[in-house]
Amino acid sequence: MATLEAWGEVGQKYEIHEETLAFFRQQKERGARPYQDLTVEEAREANKQTSLFYSGDTEFNGTIKEFIVPSVHCPEGVAVSVYKDSICPLTAPVLVYFHGGGMVVGSRQAYDVTCKLIARDTPCIVVNTEYRLAPEHKFPEQFQDVECVTRWVCMNKALIGASSSSRVGVGGDSAGGNLAASVCHYVDVDFQVLVYPMTDHTCSQPSFSEFATTPGLNQRMIEWFQDLHFSSPEQATDPRFSPLLHQDFSHLPPAIFVIAELDPLRDCGYAYRDKLSSAGVTTDCITLQGAPHAFFHMPGNFKEICGLSYEAVTKFIRKFSR
């Protein structure tokens, strides 16, 4: 797992970034095991520890406020953390962010540094969302949670420190990118930030096969996630779950795609970008060369890769939030 040889033919075809090799090398030294070889509880704890170990730290001179968003689908409500930097203007945009983790692992806590960096460097208000996870909560409960939070933010801008004129966008990585892309089909927002999004649960694009056995996210792990959050196999073709399968994209807001080159989800991200572009939607796209899936919330390790991606994201938000 830790060496170039572990990448097989992929390692011969692509130049793997040193930050990628260092990450998997250290993961081996730490005794990390694939999620599919663990129980759900063990996988969640492993994800938490890995995320905190590699996220690093950052200075943040601002406020972090906690809210419970009321929901008809979730009796206890949906917890969110709202980040606002001290230099954030009243008319600053709002980014509602959904974490990754295959809808099975991941948490707001794992994305604390990510949200601070985006809130500070844009600057904007970031709403970090704790949606429910599978297998305790099957699809579409995750979608119901993020749709609820997005609508709530749009109707309560002043409550979270924004103004009535503040623009609202959604964003997320991996499964969170799936949820962000999907919610845009049902809620009117002003922009979307899609970080290596899962847009097609039928897994029909070439990169799913190309990276089927590589370190990190691969075919076995994807199947493990899907087995836990599908209620039935037919849900793979539900457009809410596979937004690539929607018929109309013309009403969607501008989008930026952050793509990892060495990622099974790479081509479904490109395919979704092409659907939007063909429908006349403005899209930006950055591909991080030699980068693996799941780097975005670990800037402590992926310093150069995250630096490039965060710069592109903050520039995009500033551009489309005026």
Side-chain angles (χ1 to χ4, degrees):
M1 182 172 74
T3 64
L4 184 61
E5 288 73 22
W7 291 84
E9 294 182 3
V10 169
Q12 303 301 315
K13 180 178 179 181
Y14 298 94
E15 183 176 349
I16 301 179
H17 199 289
E18 178 53 40
E19 291 175 349
T20 301
L21 293 173
F23 171 76
F24 286 106
R25 188 182 306 121
Q26 192 168 47
Q27 279 290 84
K28 182 178 181 180
E29 294 169 355
R30 297 177 68 233
R33 296 163 59 198
Y35 294 156
Q36 61 269 23
D37 294 340
L38 305 172
T39 66
V40 170
E41 292 74 17
E42 289 170 340
R44 287 175 179 165
E45 181 61 24
N47 175 270
K48 174 184 173 181
Q49 295 304 322
T50 296
S51 300
L52 297 179
F53 186 83
Y54 292 105
S55 64
D57 199 3
T58 188
E59 292 184 5
F60 181 70
N61 184 20
T63 60
I64 305 173
K65 295 183 179 180
E66 305 295 326
F67 295 89
I68 300 294
V69 177
S71 169
V72 297
H73 300 290
C74 180
E76 62 270 28
V78 184
V80 300
S81 301
V82 178
Y83 297 72
K84 183 177 182 180
D85 193 87
S86 60
I87 64 170
C88 201
L90 181 61
T91 57
V94 181
L95 175 67
V96 187
Y97 198 85
F98 314 127
H99 67 76
M103 302 193 190
V104 176
V105 303
S107 66
R108 284 179 298 160
Q109 183 183 9
Y111 284 71
D112 177 68
V113 171
T114 293
C115 292
K116 286 176 178 176
L117 287 168
I118 295 174
R120 183 194 71 189
D121 295 344
T122 303
C124 68
I125 297 170
V126 179
V127 181
N128 188 5
T129 306
E130 194 79 79
Y131 58 85
R132 290 172 291 176
L133 299 176
E136 298 89 340
H137 303 280
K138 300 281 190 176
F139 177 83
E141 292 182 55
Q142 296 81 19
F143 173 78
Q144 292 168 346
D145 288 352
V146 301
E147 181 184 26
C148 174
V149 169
T150 304
R151 293 187 186 279
W152 179 84
V153 167
C154 291
M155 293 185 295
N156 292 276
K157 295 179 186 178
L159 181 63
I160 63 172
S163 74
S164 59
S165 62
S166 294
R167 296 199 170 189
V168 176
V170 294
D173 58 300
S174 192
N178 170 287
L179 293 167
S182 188
V183 80
C184 288
H185 287 270
Y186 301 92
V187 183
D188 289 333
V189 294
D190 298 299
F191 58 90
Q192 50 186 322
V193 176
L194 306 180
V195 181
Y196 37 78
M198 169 57 103
T199 64
D200 181 10
H201 275 280
T202 68
C203 301
S204 56
Q205 288 75 35
S207 59
F208 285 101
S209 298
E210 184 178 11
F211 302 104
T213 60
T214 51
L217 185 70
N218 52 37
Q219 183 176 337
R220 284 188 62 217
M221 190 178 292
I222 291 171
E223 291 173 350
W224 184 78
F225 284 136
Q226 290 181 331
D227 287 345
L228 289 168
H229 65 238
F230 280 174
S231 296
S232 65
E234 293 75 20
Q235 286 187 326
T237 58
D238 185 327
R240 289 178 302 170
F241 207 32
S242 294
L244 184 67
L245 304 183
H246 276 283
Q247 297 301 308
D248 181 18
F249 302 86
S250 60
H251 63 290
L252 297 179
I256 183 171
F257 290 81
V258 178
I259 305 295
E261 185 182 37
L262 311 179
D263 184 356
L265 309 191
R266 182 192 66 197
D267 291 351
C268 74
Y270 287 149
Y272 196 68
R273 175 203 60 186
D274 293 346
K275 288 275 191 180
L276 269 62
S277 296
S278 296
V281 177
T282 300
T283 61
D284 286 352
C285 184
I286 178 173
T287 299
L288 285 305
Q289 305 297 318
H293 187 80
F295 70 81
F296 193 70
H297 69 297
M298 296 185 285
N301 179 83
F302 295 97
K303 293 181 173 62
E304 180 180 3
I305 292 172
C306 281
L308 293 170
S309 58
Y310 283 36
E311 181 181 8
V313 166
T314 56
K315 181 179 179 181
F316 170 84
I317 295 173
R318 289 195 295 267
K319 179 179 179 182
F320 288 100
S321 60
R322 299 190 183 112

